[in-house]
Each structure stands twice: as C-alpha cells, then as structure tokens.
C-alpha cells in the first residue's frame, strides 16, 4: 500500500528523469549506509572510500532530483512533506560532505549515511500521509525562503546529532578505559565537540532567520493561529534548546556530556516537528495554507 | 625449489651473548655476501642482521649447503662450527620460503606483529642488491615477503594496538585531543616511564612541556632535554589549569592531586578536557578525580590491561596469518614452477618454428612462379599446423611444471631441448622503496 501510494505520487507528479534520480539517490544512500557500517565494523576488509563515493553520487542524484522538481513544479516540493523530508536529507548529506571535505574524520560516515537511510525509510513509511500530489507550493518569496532556511538548519542539526551520538559513545569508552574495535577510527572528542559546536553556530542563525521570515510571511491577524500549529511549537522549542546549548557552552554551565544530551533532546524535537507533529498537524497545516491562499 | 635455504639464529634459540657475537655490522655485510657467493657457492645471498636475529638467505645449487653456511658464519665471527651449531636453525625449500614470509610479517618477532622488522628486511635486501648479490630467485622471494607483510598488517589484526604502556597512553590522549601541537603536557616527578611517555608525546608533536619536580635542578635537566619549562612542585596548583595532559610519577606515599584541585583547574580553563596519566605506585591522583566530567584518568593498571588485551588480540590473529602465509607460499611455488617451464616452452616453440620456416622456404624454392598471396597462404598454413601440433605438448609441460616433483622431469626435458638450466624464477624485479624506520 505504501509503495502504491508513493508509486501513484511518482506517476502523477514527477517526470521520468526526476523519479529516476530520486530512486537512484534513495538506493544509493542505502548502499552507502551498508558500506560505511561495514567499513566501521570490518575496517580490514571494507574501505570507507567506497561508501563516500556512493554517498557523493547519491547526493548528486538527489540534488538533480530537486533541480528537476523545482524546474517542473516550481515551489510545490516545499509544500509536500515527503519532499521536505527528502530536502532535509539533501542538506544533511551536503553538510556532511562539506564538513568531511574541510576536515576528514573517519567513522562519521557510518553515522551520516545510516541516518540518511533511516530518514528515507521514515519518508517511505509515512508516504501515504506525507504525499499530497498536485498541491500548490508556496508562492510568497518570504515563505519560500523561510521553508528553505528551516529545512537547511534541520539538515545541519541532523549532522550535529550524529556527531553527538559519536561523542557520547567515544567518551564512555574513554572513561571506561575501553577500546571498542569499531570505534578505533572515530574522531577525537575534541574534533567531535568542534563539529557539534560548528553545527550549532551555523544552524542557530539559519533557524532564527528562518523563523523571522516565517513570521513576516504571515499577517498580524494570522500570528494568533501559529501557536496552535504543533510544528511551529516544536521548532520553537528546538530554537530554545539551541540557544540554551549555545549559552550554556559560552558560560561554561553546560559541560561534560550534558551539552551532547541536550543536542539529542533538540534532535527529538526535529523528529517530532517532522514526523509526530507533522502527522498530527495536518489540519493545522491545511488551515495555515488556506489562510495564506485566501490572502 | 630446494635451492632456497636459510641459516640463522634468533632470540628463541640463542641468548643475547651469542646473538651479539654473530651479528653483522652493516660495514661487514658486503664482504660477508662475497664470502657466501664464493666460499659457500651461493648463487644469490642476503644477510639479515638485527638485534634479535642473524640470518643468511641463499639460493644455491649446492646439494648440502648447511655445512658450508654454518662454517662461513662461524669463521666470520671466530667461532667453532660445532659450538654455533647448537644455536642455529636451518630451513630449506618450502620451509625457507615460509620462514622469510613469517619473519617479514612479524610472526617470528619478539613483539608479535611488530612492523619494524619488514623495514629491516627491506634494508638488508637493498644492501644485498646494491652488492649484486641477488638475482631473480631472491628478488622474487623478497618481493613476495614484502607483499605478504603488507597483507598481514592490512588484512589481519596482527599489528593492531600498541604493546608498551607509554604508546598506549599516547593513543588514548589522541582519542581525546585532535591536535597535540597546541596542547601542553605537564610532567610531575621524573621517572623512566613518565619520561618515555613525554618522549612519545614529543614525537607526536606536543606543543609545550612543563616539568615539575621536588628538586628544581632535576626538573630543569629534563625540561632542557624536551625544550620545556621547569617549575618547583610547590607551584603545581598554579600550573595545573594550563595542562591538557598531566603525567604524574612521583614517589609520594599519598595522592598529591585531589578532586578539588582538578575541579578548580577545570573551572579556570573553561572546562576544556584534561587527560591524566597516573604512573605512580602508590597513586598520585585521587581515584575520585575520574568522576569529574571532562577529566580522563588512567593509571598503570588501566594501561597494562589494555596492553594485555592488545597482546591477546594479536595472538588470536596467528591462525589467520598462518593461513595467508600458506596460501602465499603455495602461490609462490606455483609461480616459481611455471616460470621454470617458460624457457623449455620457448625452446620447443623456437625449434619447431625454425623447422617450419626451413621447410616452407625449401618448398617455395620449387614454386618460384607462385603469386605472393598463395605463398603467404602456404606460410600461414604451415604456421597454424605447427601451432596446433605444439598446443597439447605446451599444455602438458605447463601442467607438469605445477606438480611438486616437477623439477627432475623439467630438467630432463630441458637437457633434451638443449636448454642450459631451468632458471630460478620470477615475475618482477622492481626496486622496493625503503621505508622510514619506525
């Protein structure tokens, strides 16, 4: 049934090229996830380079998919939850590739690619709810910029969460004086801390500006309805968590493992805003869009 | 195959006093190689001399090379052959090939799986090559040994994990810190292991060193060696916040570092991590320091436990390494044998085609008026006929050459075809690049 829904969505909405690129990207990320995990667990037999090559190719395919989609359907993908999630995955993949290009860190790919694979599994599983073929996308430039910036910040935040998980695992091993074989190639705690900090420093302004643009896109009369939108609420909590982590780090109040736990708490709100609340808020979303369209 | 042989002594069979006496300094190796080739009738020779082993590798037609090589080894060092014979081992043929592969892979080393030995083997081989003491046989064998060493280190866990407490400590420090060049190491108390650890940190590029001791003169002496600063022990609390890595090895009977000291230090340094190595017995650092976030405390027991785990992991890999070596020896033998058949096949083919050419020329001499295309047809027909007649014979020779007992039958065939001798080997003669000694 899920496959049927997605298939009918593909048939109705996408062109042949975009559908092909999307499937290539999804398949590629699954292969990259398997390869990167194999490289982590069996470093003597599988090299992580294979996962990286597959990952780069998949990211390229996903970028081509969106280029094709925006060309054929304008901003429609931004109003479709399935494609919004896929766009987050693209930003996560791009953030990972840029970060690994600037500072090669072994082992991170074993978290980034499986995270991407999981995102697509969720996207597929929830396709019946997420997919709204033929729905018009936002035309207001401010709203388009708002959606893109928020999704971009979520992508960066996904990477921060992956690095935080690695930090917590690695830190526990070092504290316990152990050396798990699969963590042999993990980056140092200092590298992971820097990566998480960088993601927060980059993600926070993106999310803040995204919020401001979002508020500006609505009229004052519509502001009152926004707190009723659970997705907005979840994003707001995420923003507060990010601010809290940032201030906690600067003042030294958050140290040790705590900031990384908070990153994961923030990540739960990202997930909630996408999945849980996204599902619950269909009505609220529709009301918001109706209000916008009426304007 | 039996022409490969090795005679030698190592740490398993001979005490240090004997190994010292039979060691070959580099300057004496060229002369010793000449002696091997002249006095011991070795066609090719390589001498490997390290602190743990002295081995003479040879490729020789001598049916009983053991006596000659033993005598040469004994004479070179002013010893009696009978005395030296008690300590040496001798391998020939397949066993000699396998022995070199095990040595290069670190399976025969005192520290199992160590990687330095392959560099020493390379150095010995290059020295022999520069003295023109190697040929196809030993070139191929040593190249195979270098490849096997690479395979063992990359495909198995035989060289994983350090086996000294100091190097393990530095590895753990590297798991905490990305870059040591902007970090400060504080050595508290001056002891052998502490200094060795500092040495490892220096090699890993530690940025700054502070040495702290009860006697300032002693601290200055060590600090000067490592280009660092010396401070008296009384000021330790002031310097602790500056240290990213603390190595403590004093003779104090009570802990000199308390939890509170580290807590204050962490606050002053903005909760940046501190890696602490407590190498003292009794301990210098209170155990509850480890409960503080961002402090990573390791004591001697922790490090020794990791070293023991590494040694155990390496020993578990021996079976896999042995399988790889057996596979590589089989591959080497197969390649060796089939290469030995190559000149025989070449001679057989040349002889048949010489006859074919002579007969075609004789025939065409009777038909001078034939057009060129018909002459070419006849020549092509003759060539194809000879190739088809040769094909089953060449296949049979190749099959025979892969058998264990091929040498004698190939030699008979070689004599019948007028091939001087079955050459000894190999596929490539590329120069290996010497690696830096680790």
């Amino acid at each position: 049934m899920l496959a049927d829904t997605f298939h009918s969505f593909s048939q109705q909405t996408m062109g042949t090229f975009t559908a092909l690129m999307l499937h290539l990207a999804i398949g590629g990320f699954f292969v990259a996830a398997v390869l990167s995990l194999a490289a982590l667990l069996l470093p003597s037999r599988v090299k992580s380079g294979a996962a990286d090559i597959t990952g780069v190719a998949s990211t390229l395919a996903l970028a081509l998919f969106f280029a094709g989609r925006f060309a054929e359907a304008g901003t429609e993908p931004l109003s479709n939850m399935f494609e919004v999630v896929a766009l987050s995955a693209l930003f996560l993949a791009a953030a990972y590739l840029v970060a690994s290009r600037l500072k090669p860190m072994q082992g991170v790919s074993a978290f980034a690619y499986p995270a991407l694979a999981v995102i697509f599994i969720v996207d597929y599983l929830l396709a019946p709810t997420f997919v709204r073929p033929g729905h018009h996308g936002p035309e207001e430039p401010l709203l388009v910029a708002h959606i893109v910036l928020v999704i971009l910040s979520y992508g960066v935040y996904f990477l921060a969460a992956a690095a935080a998980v690695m930090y917590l695992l690695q830190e526990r091993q070092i504290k316990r004086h152990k050396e798990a074989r699969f963590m042999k190639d993990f980056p140092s705690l200092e590298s992971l801390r820097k990566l998480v900090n960088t993601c927060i420093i980059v993600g926070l302004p993106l999310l803040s500006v995204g919020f401001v643009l979002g508020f500006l896109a609505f009229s004052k009369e519509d502001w009152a309805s926004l707190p009723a939108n659970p997705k907005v609420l979840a994003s707001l909590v995420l923003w507060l968590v990010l601010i809290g982590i940032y201030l906690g780090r600067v003042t030294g109040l958050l140290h040790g493992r705590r900031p990384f736990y908070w990153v994961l708490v923030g990540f739960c709100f990202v997930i909630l805003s996408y999945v849980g609340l996204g599902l619950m808020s269909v009505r609220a979303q529709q009301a918001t869009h109706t209000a916008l369209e009426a304007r | 195959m039996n022409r490969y042989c090795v005679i030698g002594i190592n740490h398993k069979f001979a005490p240090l006093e004997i190994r010292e006496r039979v060691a070959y300094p580099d300057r004496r190796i060229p002369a010793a190689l000449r002696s091997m080739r002249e006095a011991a009738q070795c066609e090719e020779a390589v001498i490997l001399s390290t602190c743990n082993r002295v081995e003479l590798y040879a490729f020789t037609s001598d049916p009983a090379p053991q006596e000659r090589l033993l005598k040469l080894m004994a004479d070179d060092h002013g010893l009696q052959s009978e005395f030296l014979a008690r300590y040496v081992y001798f391998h020939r043929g397949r066993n000699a090939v396998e022995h070199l592969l095990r040595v290069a892979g670190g399976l025969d080393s005192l520290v199992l799986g160590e990687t330095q030995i392959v560099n020493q083997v390379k150095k010995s081989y290059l020295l022999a090559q520069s003295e023109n003491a190697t040929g196809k046989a030993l070139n191929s064998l040593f190249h195979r040994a270098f490849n096997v060493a690479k395979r063992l280190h990359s495909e198995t866990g035989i060289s994983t994990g350090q086996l000294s407490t100091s190097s393990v400590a530095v590895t753990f420090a590297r798991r905490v810190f990305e870059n040591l060049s902007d970090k400060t190491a504080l050595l508290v108390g001056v002891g052998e292991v502490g200094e060795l650890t500092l040495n490892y940190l220096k090699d890993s590029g530690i940025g700054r060193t502070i040495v702290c001791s009860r006697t300032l003169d002693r601290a200055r002496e060590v600090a000067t060696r490592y280009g660092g600063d010396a401070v008296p022990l009384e000021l330790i609390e002031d310097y602790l916040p500056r240290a990213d890595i603390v190595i403590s090895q004093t003779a104090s009977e009570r802990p000199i570092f308390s939890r509170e000291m580290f807590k204050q230090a962490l606050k002053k340094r903005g909760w940046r991590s501190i890696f602490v190595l407590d190498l003292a017995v009794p301990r210098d650092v209170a155990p509850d320091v480890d409960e503080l976030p961002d402090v990573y405390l390791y004591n001697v027991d922790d490090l020794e436990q990791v070293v023991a785990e590494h040694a155990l992991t390496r020993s578990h890999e021996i079976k896999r390494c042995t399988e790889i070596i057996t596979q590589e020896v089989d591959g080497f033998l197969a390649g060796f044998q089939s290469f030995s058949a190559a000149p025989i096949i070449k001679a057989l083919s040349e002889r048949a085609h010489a006859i074919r050419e002579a007969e075609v020329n004789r025939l065409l001499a009777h038909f001078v008026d034939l057009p060129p295309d018909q002459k070419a047809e006849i020549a092509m027909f003759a060539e194809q006929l000879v190739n088809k007649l040769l094909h089953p014979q060449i296949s049979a020779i190749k099959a025979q050459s892969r058998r264990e007992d091929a040498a004698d039958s190939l030699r008979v065939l070689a004599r019948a075809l007028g091939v001087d001798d079955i050459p000894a080997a190999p596929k490539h003669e590329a120069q290996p690049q010497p690696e830096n000694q680790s």
Side-chain angles (χ1 to χ4, degrees):
Chain A
M1 183 200 148
L2 302 177
D4 288 347
T5 311
F6 182 71
H7 180 71
S8 79
F9 166 60
S10 311
Q11 292 289 308
Q12 288 173 33
T13 315
M14 297 181 206
T16 313
F17 172 76
T18 45
L20 179 69
M21 286 299 117
L22 177 65
H23 287 92
L24 275 179
I26 293 174
F29 282 127
F30 273 92
V31 173
V34 171
L35 287 173
S36 60
L37 284 171
L40 187 71
L41 299 171
L42 304 163
S44 59
R45 298 191 181 181
V46 184
K47 300 291 169 205
S48 59
D52 284 331
I53 291 167
T54 318
V56 169
S58 309
T59 309
L60 198 64
L62 197 57
L64 287 172
F65 161 74
F66 276 107
R69 283 291 289 144
F70 286 122
E72 71 191 12
T75 56
E76 189 187 309
L78 296 180
S79 73
N80 196 321
M81 195 62 176
F82 180 88
E83 288 175 292
V84 165
V85 173
L87 193 58
S88 289
L90 174 64
F91 288 147
L92 166 61
Y96 163 67
L97 290 176
V98 170
S100 62
R101 188 80 190 162
L102 293 174
K103 175 132 193 75
M105 285 188 290
Q106 286 185 314
V108 181
S109 66
F111 284 78
Y113 292 127
L116 286 162
V118 169
I119 289 171
F120 279 112
I121 288 173
V122 171
D123 216 10
Y124 250 98
L125 287 176
L126 299 177
T129 320
F130 281 178
V131 167
R132 291 190 295 159
H135 190 89
H136 290 297
E139 288 171 7
E140 180 90 32
L142 282 179
L143 196 60
V144 171
H146 154 74
I147 294 171
V148 170
L149 285 177
V150 170
I151 294 172
L152 192 56
S153 73
Y154 286 175
V156 172
Y157 204 75
F158 268 116
L159 190 59
V165 171
M166 287 180 83
Y167 181 93
L168 291 169
L169 289 172
Q170 172 86 309
E171 208 262 359
R172 177 147 294 187
Q173 288 283 310
I174 297 173
K175 270 282 186 197
R176 290 180 175 178
H177 310 151
K178 298 277 181 205
E179 239 188 343
R181 200 173 161 186
F182 79 94
M183 287 188 214
K184 191 166 64 75
D185 293 330
F186 271 26
S188 65
L189 294 183
E190 192 182 16
S191 303
L192 291 167
R193 195 182 295 129
K194 278 182 184 171
L195 180 60
V196 171
N197 288 346
T198 308
C199 287
I200 290 171
I201 289 168
V202 172
L204 191 57
L206 288 173
L207 193 60
S208 305
V209 176
F211 269 172
V212 172
L213 293 178
F215 278 106
L216 291 176
F218 290 89
S219 64
K220 279 185 182 173
E221 301 85 68
D222 298 325
W223 284 4
S225 67
L226 289 179
N229 184 337
K231 197 166 150 187
V232 174
L233 275 180
S235 298
L236 202 61
V237 174
L238 170 66
W239 186 77
L240 289 172
V241 169
L242 283 175
I243 289 281
I245 297 171
Y246 180 74
L247 292 175
R249 296 295 291 185
V250 170
T251 56
L253 288 172
L254 270 184
H255 50 79
R257 297 166 65 87
R258 274 184 283 175
F260 302 94
Y261 284 128
W262 277 106
V263 168
L264 295 183
V265 169
F267 181 66
C268 291
F269 281 96
V270 173
I271 299 291
L272 279 178
S273 71
Y274 269 114
V275 186
L277 299 180
L279 285 173
M280 287 156 60
S281 68
V282 173
R283 277 188 191 169
Q285 290 281 320
Q286 281 170 347
T288 310
H289 282 285
T290 313
L292 269 170
E293 277 160 16
R295 282 173 61 202
Chain B
M1 179 51 55
N2 273 341
R3 293 162 75 184
Y4 283 111
C5 59
V6 56
I7 190 167
I9 65 167
N10 66 14
H11 58 280
K12 292 178 188 166
F13 299 101
L16 181 61
E17 304 81 64
I18 304 296
R19 299 204 305 271
E20 276 172 349
R21 288 204 60 181
V22 296
Y24 285 93
D26 281 356
R27 60 187 160 73
R28 282 182 54 196
I29 289 180
L33 287 169
R34 275 196 298 280
S35 300
M36 278 180 77
R37 299 185 71 191
E38 290 160 11
Q41 298 178 357
C42 300
E43 287 148 46
E44 299 176 36
V46 172
I47 295 174
L48 171 66
S49 181
T50 72
C51 52
N52 282 327
R53 67 181 65 247
V54 177
E55 290 178 339
L56 276 55
Y57 289 88
F59 186 76
T60 175
S61 305
D62 187 349
Q66 185 172 1
E67 294 304 316
R68 284 182 204 272
L69 288 170
L70 177 65
K71 187 171 184 313
L72 182 132
M73 206 171 171
D75 290 351
D76 273 352
H77 301 95
L79 297 168
Q80 294 292 321
S81 296
E82 295 76 22
F83 169 76
L84 194 58
R86 279 185 273 169
Y87 302 102
V88 299
Y89 45 81
F90 177 79
H91 299 298
R92 198 163 183 197
R94 184 189 174 93
N95 291 343
V97 171
E98 191 175 328
H99 178 78
L100 176 63
L101 266 50
R102 289 180 65 85
V103 167
L107 294 184
D108 205 45
S109 296
L110 184 61
V111 177
L112 183 67
E114 56 120 343
T115 52
Q116 200 179 357
I117 184 68
V118 70
N119 294 327
Q120 291 167 327
V121 174
K122 267 182 193 168
K123 192 179 150 207
S124 304
Y125 165 69
L126 288 171
L127 182 57
Q129 204 179 40
S130 68
E131 293 295 321
N132 293 321
T134 63
K136 288 179 176 177
L138 286 187
N139 284 344
S140 69
L141 177 60
F142 275 79
H143 280 283
R144 177 67 69 138
F146 303 143
N147 287 336
V148 170
K150 203 171 165 186
R151 250 193 98 183
L152 294 181
H153 296 312
S154 64
E155 291 180 24
T156 75
I158 195 69
S159 53
T160 51
Q162 286 80 10
L163 294 182
S164 81
T165 49
S166 303
S167 55
V168 166
V170 175
T171 307
F172 274 108
R174 282 199 160 281
R175 287 175 69 187
V176 176
F177 301 115
E178 175 193 358
N179 185 5
L180 294 180
S181 65
D182 57 355
K183 302 291 179 296
T184 299
L186 171 66
L187 177 66
V188 185
V190 180
E192 195 184 332
V193 184
E195 235 190 288
L196 192 61
T197 309
L198 197 60
N199 209 14
Y200 270 107
L201 284 171
K202 198 77 189 162
D203 289 346
S204 303
I206 191 82
R208 192 182 167 209
T209 310
I210 301 170
V211 182
C212 183
S213 177
R214 281 189 203 285
T215 49
L216 196 55
D217 286 345
R218 179 78 179 114
R220 278 203 189 108
E221 187 190 321
V222 177
T224 311
R225 247 196 324 270
Y226 294 97
D229 303 318
V231 292
L233 197 62
E234 297 78 53
L235 296 179
I236 189 71
E237 216 161 333
D238 298 335
Y239 280 86
L240 190 57
R242 302 181 196 184
D244 300 291
I245 298 171
V246 178
I247 308 158
S248 190
Q249 197 185 11
T250 71
S252 170
E253 288 183 7
R254 287 181 179 180
I256 57 169
F257 291 105
S258 66
R259 181 189 163 104
E260 194 50 36
M261 279 171 79
F262 271 98
K263 199 172 175 183
Q264 293 307 319
L266 280 169
K267 275 183 187 168
K268 283 182 187 166
R269 51 190 275 115
W271 296 93
R272 280 181 293 121
S273 305
I274 305 179
F275 184 76
V276 188
L277 279 175
D278 186 357
L279 302 173
V281 180
R283 286 179 280 184
D284 281 344
V285 184
D288 58 357
V289 167
D290 199 30
E291 291 164 13
L292 286 170
D294 296 311
V295 175
Y296 304 97
L297 171 63
Y298 282 70
N299 61 36
V300 174
D301 275 1
D302 300 325
L303 297 176
E304 280 177 356
Q305 194 183 339
V306 174
V307 167
E309 280 169 16
H310 287 173
L312 192 66
T313 309
R314 287 190 182 198
S315 65
H316 286 157
E317 294 294 314
I318 292 177
K319 194 181 165 205
R320 258 184 84 197
C321 291
T322 308
E323 283 168 7
I324 290 175
I325 286 178
T326 306
Q327 187 190 341
E328 289 283 346
V329 171
D330 289 344
F332 180 76
L333 295 182
F336 179 85
Q337 301 284 18
S338 60
F339 188 86
S340 301
I344 297 171
I345 293 167
K346 191 180 168 204
L348 181 66
S349 178
E350 280 176 356
R351 181 166 296 189
H353 282 289
I355 294 169
R356 186 254 313 157
E357 202 174 335
E359 287 303 311
V360 167
N361 289 340
R362 191 182 60 77
L363 179 69
L364 293 180
H366 294 295
F367 302 103
V368 186
D369 299 332
L370 271 180
D373 57 333
Q374 289 184 11
K375 284 183 179 176
E377 280 283 324
I378 291 170
M380 194 183 293
F381 163 77
E383 189 169 349
Q384 283 174 352
L385 182 67
V386 169
N387 283 341
K388 282 185 179 171
L389 287 170
L390 281 177
H391 179 70
Q393 296 171 47
I394 289 172
S395 300
I397 292 170
K398 281 182 180 172
Q400 173 66 17
S401 72
R402 283 191 282 271
R403 289 166 57 104
E404 277 283 321
D405 57 349
D408 288 340
S409 53
L410 287 178
R411 202 162 281 128
V412 171
L413 198 55
R415 278 198 204 106
L417 289 166
V419 177
D420 286 343
D421 198 1
I422 305 171
K427 294 166 183 171
H428 53 76
E429 286 179 75
Q431 300 269 337
Q433 295 302 311
E435 286 177 13
N436 292 333
Q437 296 282 328
S438 56

